[in-house]
Amino acid sequence: CPSPFVDKTRSVLDMISTILLQMEEELNELDREAGDGDCGVTHARAAQAIKNLLTSDAVPGNGHQLLLCLGRLTRDHMGGTTGALYSISLMAAAQNLKENNNPSAWAAAFNSGIEALKRYGGAEPGDRTMLDSLYPAEEELRKLTDEDGSELQVLAEAVQKAEAGAEATKNMIAKAGRASYISSVQLSRPDPGAVACAAILKAILSALEQPPPEGQE
């Protein structure tokens, strides 16, 4: 019988993949302003690969193996620079979860993932990239502890910060990625990568807020 971790993970992955498939055209549209217009397609490829994972019995039973699995999945199925950056970030994050899956370990994992993004993507917060939603969320997630059971409250705050960060990219000059080749005068909408990351965090929160099925606590 699946563990509570696997059940919760299935719920989270299902929510993430469903949201990304729903947002495919919206993300493409945002990306047409400054990129190849394929940000939605790229994320939809990952979402479909996640759906395929969910139909198998291969959902990992701990955070370390889960993030390694998702790192391979994004590398193999997303394609492009985005897939490589997600993969590098997830693989780096996974190392923090070898010992346990406590909230503080997940916060450390999130931090490591962002540091890897900065190192390999060459961007900083304020450069109009996915970091602009992830970085404010990470600052909030540092408040996670293993004691007080406030994880969902902290995560909800992190989601709000991520959404505000994504929205703020409307007013930023792109300094990394394909958008950096385009005059900032032409950029008037949020960065699609930042929007996608905020949506992923919101999907995680929505799934975790759902009560467990009958008989599971």
Side-chain angles (χ1 to χ4, degrees):
C1 128
S3 70
F5 179 88
V6 170
D7 287 334
K8 202 170 273 192
T9 297
R10 284 181 154 289
S11 173
V12 167
L13 293 178
D14 185 53
M15 187 74 78
I16 290 172
S17 52
T18 299
I19 293 292
L20 290 178
L21 289 169
Q22 286 172 356
M23 292 180 70
E24 180 174 359
E25 190 43 46
E26 177 191 341
L27 293 173
N28 284 342
E29 187 61 38
L30 288 174
D31 197 30
R32 281 187 195 108
E33 185 177 74
D36 291 337
D38 65 349
C39 181
V41 173
T42 306
H43 283 82
R45 280 201 292 260
Q48 196 53 61
I50 290 171
K51 293 281 189 203
N52 294 341
L53 174 69
L54 289 172
T55 60
S56 72
D57 288 325
V59 175
N62 61 68
H64 178 240
Q65 290 301 325
L66 172 65
L67 295 190
L68 290 179
C69 171
L70 293 174
R72 290 189 295 269
L73 182 148
T74 49
R75 179 194 66 202
D76 296 344
H77 296 282
M78 273 186 105
T81 309
T82 305
L85 288 173
Y86 269 107
S87 180
I88 287 165
S89 179
L90 287 160
M91 296 281 195
Q95 304 314 311
N96 295 273
L97 297 165
K98 281 182 174 173
E99 303 303 322
N100 66 65
N101 289 284
N102 295 345
S104 61
W106 282 99
F110 202 83
N111 175 265
S112 291
I114 284 182
E115 289 306 313
L117 268 183
K118 286 162 67 174
R119 196 160 54 246
Y120 292 100
E124 290 287 334
D127 287 351
R128 199 180 195 275
T129 69
M130 61 207 291
L131 274 177
D132 291 305
S133 57
L134 293 174
Y135 197 75
E138 189 270 331
E139 290 184 316
E140 202 62 38
L141 291 174
R142 287 179 203 172
K143 298 175 185 173
L144 283 173
T145 72
D146 299 336
E147 277 84 50
D148 62 3
S150 64
E151 300 91 21
L152 288 180
Q153 194 178 335
V154 172
L155 183 54
E157 293 285 336
V159 168
Q160 287 188 349
K161 294 282 172 65
E163 290 176 336
E167 186 65 16
T169 60
K170 286 199 305 195
N171 306 313
M172 291 176 187
I173 296 171
K175 299 195 184 111
R178 192 172 293 269
S180 60
Y181 306 130
I182 306 227
S183 162
S184 61
V185 177
Q186 295 169 252
L187 298 175
S188 60
R189 302 177 72 188
D191 176 71
V195 170
C197 286
I200 289 168
L201 288 175
K202 186 166 189 177
I204 293 169
L205 175 65
S206 299
L208 292 177
E209 282 178 333
Q210 291 176 346
E214 286 300 315
Q216 289 182 25
E217 285 303 329

